[in-house]
Amino acid sequence: MAITTDIQTNATGDAGRPTPSTTTLPLARAINAGLRRALEQDDRVMLMGEDIGRLGGVFRVTDGLQAQFGTQRVVDSPLAESGILGTAIGLAMAGYRPVVEIQFDGFVFPAFDQITTQLAKLHYRSQGRVRVPVVIRIPYGGHIGAIEHHSESPEALFAHTAGLRIVSPATAQDGYTMIQQAIASPDPVIFLEPKSRYWEKGAVELDAEPSGDLHRARTVRAGRDATLVAYGPSVATSLAAAQAAAEEGRELEVIDLRSVAPLDLDSVVASVERTGRLIVVHEAPTAHGVGAEIAAAVAERCFYRLQAPVLRVGGFHTPYPASAIESDYLPSLDRILDAVDRAFAA
């Protein structure tokens, strides 16, 4: 699988001194660059996963890293997700910073026990004496024409477990920056990569030091009439819906959560207090999901500022469908705009 790379670099400023180099990269290559930088800067960082070395990963996110850093730091593991996670936990307890790749979202379930009963709880169980800085990279979500086990969104299953941090980049810059912040975190981080956005390009500042709060949401489009909250693959769909709504005279504010756990509820509440309406968009089923948590929290904190019930747009409470009806299952521009209409009709 070839990855197109289009690099445009600004090397020097007017005074001849280097300025932060801005490069145009697809999300997959931006994550690759972030992993490379982490490997260069910290000898404790190592990568593990099925086919991540010679092949470069099923989506080529780790392409070239084994050739540069060797087989002891970029490890092709057996086909055994529970074993990979168990090994990573032991390495983290010994002082390493393992980064594990799960090939597809649905393949993480054999390792669910290691993640939720061991990785998430060791710091608490040891009364703070043991740190387990493991990053689990998971390509997730739909839009690629695959079936269940290849297109799922398991974030709510992990968000319900205390001790895990769960983040998802929506842009190339966030892919580059957030993977480095996740590796630097002293806590276990599940890093959800929207596979449908792997090949979308964006500007990336390769020289910039990762800064800011990994778990802080950002407003990607300002608006006054309603708030759309999304993360990962749904951010681009929400932006498209906001653009379409603007042509009909409605200004929608779009917030990229960036972090599912912990949630930056302060940013969401501040927006809802201005707009009075909230629609939460994600690909995972709405039943018992992240959107339900946000809806409950917003109802608690700004009930009297809401002009309409909080609405959710997401997947249905079914196994992930066949590719022929995938577009009916996933949040679309039309389904988001329909929710906006219902919010204004309330």
Side-chain angles (χ1 to χ4, degrees), residues 323-336:
S323 59
I325 57 173
E326 179 185 49
S327 60
D328 297 322
Y329 175 89
L330 294 168
S332 64
L333 184 149
D334 286 343
R335 284 180 60 199
I336 296 171

Side-chain angles (χ1 to χ4, degrees), residues 97 119 123 131-135 163-165 182-189:
R97 289 184 174 274
L119 180 63
H123 183 63
R131 287 285 192 182
V132 277
V134 175
V135 175
L164 300 174
R165 298 176 182 270
I183 294 170
S185 172
D187 299 317
V189 179

Side-chain angles (χ1 to χ4, degrees), residues 221-228 242 245-254 271-279 305-308 340 343-344:
R221 180 186 176 103
R224 63 177 185 277
D225 297 325
T227 300
L228 298 182
E247 295 172 3
E248 299 177 354
R250 288 172 176 164
E251 294 296 332
L252 308 183
E253 186 151 289
V254 181
S271 176
V272 173
E273 288 181 340
R274 291 193 302 273
T275 67
R277 297 177 176 86
L278 173 63
I279 297 102
R305 304 295 290 271
L306 285 169
Q307 300 178 42
V340 172
F344 278 88

Side-chain angles (χ1 to χ4, degrees), residues 85 89 114-122 132 134 136 163-164 188:
L85 259 297
I89 292 169
Q114 290 281 11
I115 296 170
T116 56
T117 67
Q118 303 300 331
L119 180 63
K121 296 172 180 170
L122 274 169
V132 277
V134 175
I136 306 171
L164 300 174

Side-chain angles (χ1 to χ4, degrees), residues 10 23 41 83 119-120 168 177 179 181 214 237 239 245-246 269 278 287 292 308 310 314:
N10 301 319
T23 303
Q41 294 184 342
L119 180 63
S168 181
T177 301
I179 189 62
Q181 293 175 310
L214 174 62
T237 313
L239 282 170
V269 166
L278 173 63
V310 178

Side-chain angles (χ1 to χ4, degrees), residues 132-150:
V132 277
V134 175
V135 175
I136 306 171
R137 296 182 37 246
I138 306 177
Y140 83 119
H143 295 286
I144 64 167
I147 57 175
E148 59 176 317
H149 305 317
H150 295 74

Side-chain angles (χ1 to χ4, degrees), residues 167-219:
V167 300
S168 181
T171 67
Q173 180 65 63
D174 267 355
Y176 176 69
T177 301
M178 290 172 65
I179 189 62
Q180 295 178 70
Q181 293 175 310
I183 294 170
S185 172
D187 299 317
V189 179
I190 294 181
F191 194 83
L192 296 169
E193 301 172 4
K195 64 174 80 78
S196 62
R197 310 295 180 190
Y198 267 151
W199 319 124
E200 292 190 2
K201 296 179 180 178
V204 181
E205 290 190 10
L206 293 176
D207 290 344
E209 292 296 327
S211 61
D213 186 344
L214 174 62
H215 303 288
R216 178 64 58 84
R218 66 188 177 99
T219 300

Side-chain angles (χ1 to χ4, degrees), residues 281-306:
V281 184
H282 54 59
E283 292 193 6
T286 56
H288 318 288
V290 174
E293 173 64 23
I294 295 172
V298 168
E300 289 176 356
R301 294 180 57 175
C302 46
F303 179 80
Y304 294 104
R305 304 295 290 271
L306 285 169

